[in-house]
Amino acid sequence: MTRLLVRRTILLPRIRRRPTRGTGGRHCFSSLADLEADALLVDARKAPKSWQSSAAVVYRNVVTEEQASVISEEILGQRMRRRRYEKGHWDSVITDYREMELYDIHELVEAMENEPDPNIQASDVQTTIAKAFWKIRNHLQQNHATSTSTKWLPCHAIDLKQDGQLSAHVDSVRFSGHMVAGLSLLSPAIMRLKEDQESDQFVDLCLPPRSLYVLTGVGRYEYSHELLPDGSTFCSPPGDPIIVSREQRLSIIFRDAKEEE
Ligand code: OGA
Ligand code: MN
């Protein structure tokens, strides 16, 4: 039996303040209300019997091209610019990557959620990113939340090199709640979910740039997730298999905070 790794959410917690409760979106930006999950981006034909289709869904185009380039330029071109890629240890879940948490954006999104805070000064770039994240959070709240006022952790950005690996793991349950969602930028990728590492049963998600995947329920707690290497094949249920070139990929992970016991 292979040991299933747990991916620890590192860096957390730094924010002293407790995560605030959202109001479910009083703000007046146009929302992602019409967004529907794209079933063609999920291949569950080899899924185990325990699989539930709501446990992993993928939405296309959750940010505009312009928002996508503002986010990736700000994170890769500015914030991570001087950071070296981390190799990871021999048993790490992830190799050849850089990561950081976006505390300032978190504060701004929280402020948008509540009353606009005149004390928060933000650049145009920060505001653009915060608005895009606010919409995603709002969509998650409306479609995937179990509580009417989800508390959120700061978003986490991960830059994975083309040859970097993200191997099978379940996200730590220490701080993070029932929902793990990821915005994919720059490169497509295939995410594989498995209940049993020894078995050949799996569920594959195709993640085009600007898409959002959402793992909940068994998809969050019972199945591991991993990214397949560059050049792996995705079989869209009715269509021909496609080979997915995975290049440098930036992902933004949205997690709700664990409910207090
Ligand atoms: C993680 C993870 C997936 C992604 O950081 O735990 O699974 O989309 N990331 O980057
Ligand atoms: Mn993970």
Side-chain angles (χ1 to χ4, degrees), residues 105-212:
I105 307 292
H106 180 71
E107 305 253 308
L108 267 176
V109 179
E110 295 286 321
M112 287 174 179
E113 194 66 45
N114 303 302
E115 292 308 319
D117 182 343
N119 296 317
I120 294 194
Q121 302 280 321
S123 68
D124 289 352
V125 166
Q126 286 173 311
T127 306
T128 302
I129 298 175
K131 281 185 184 172
F133 287 8
W134 179 88
K135 283 189 189 188
I136 292 174
R137 244 171 66 161
N138 202 37
H139 175 78
L140 293 170
Q141 172 65 52
Q142 318 240 307
N143 296 276
H144 298 279
T146 48
S147 145
T148 50
S149 53
T150 302
K151 291 185 281 180
W152 297 92
L153 299 175
C155 281
H156 193 91
I158 303 163
D159 168 16
L160 187 66
K161 270 190 180 176
Q162 178 167 31
D163 297 333
Q165 294 175 5
L166 181 76
S167 45
H169 68 281
V170 173
D171 284 16
S172 167
V173 294
R174 193 151 164 223
F175 301 114
S176 156
H178 82 287
M179 184 166 28
V180 176
L183 168 66
S184 300
L185 296 170
L186 300 179
S187 171
I190 303 170
M191 178 171 272
R192 175 159 292 183
L193 309 184
K194 291 191 90 164
E195 184 181 41
D196 173 359
Q197 302 307 306
E198 308 293 325
S199 142
D200 53 10
Q201 295 176 308
F202 63 85
V203 177
D204 276 354
L205 311 180
C206 182
L207 308 176
R210 302 197 288 124
S211 69
L212 181 78

Side-chain angles (χ1 to χ4, degrees), residues 91-107:
D91 66 343
S92 5
V93 164
I94 184 165
T95 63
D96 294 298
Y97 70 103
R98 303 184 288 192
E99 65 187 338
M100 63 166 42
E101 280 177 65
L102 307 174
Y103 295 107
D104 59 322
I105 307 292
H106 180 71
E107 305 253 308

Side-chain angles (χ1 to χ4, degrees), residues 37-38 42 51 53-59 144 205 207 212-215:
D38 187 341
V42 180
W51 181 245
S53 60
S54 63
V57 294
V58 185
Y59 299 92
H144 298 279
L205 311 180
L207 308 176
L212 181 78
Y213 65 84
V214 187
L215 309 179

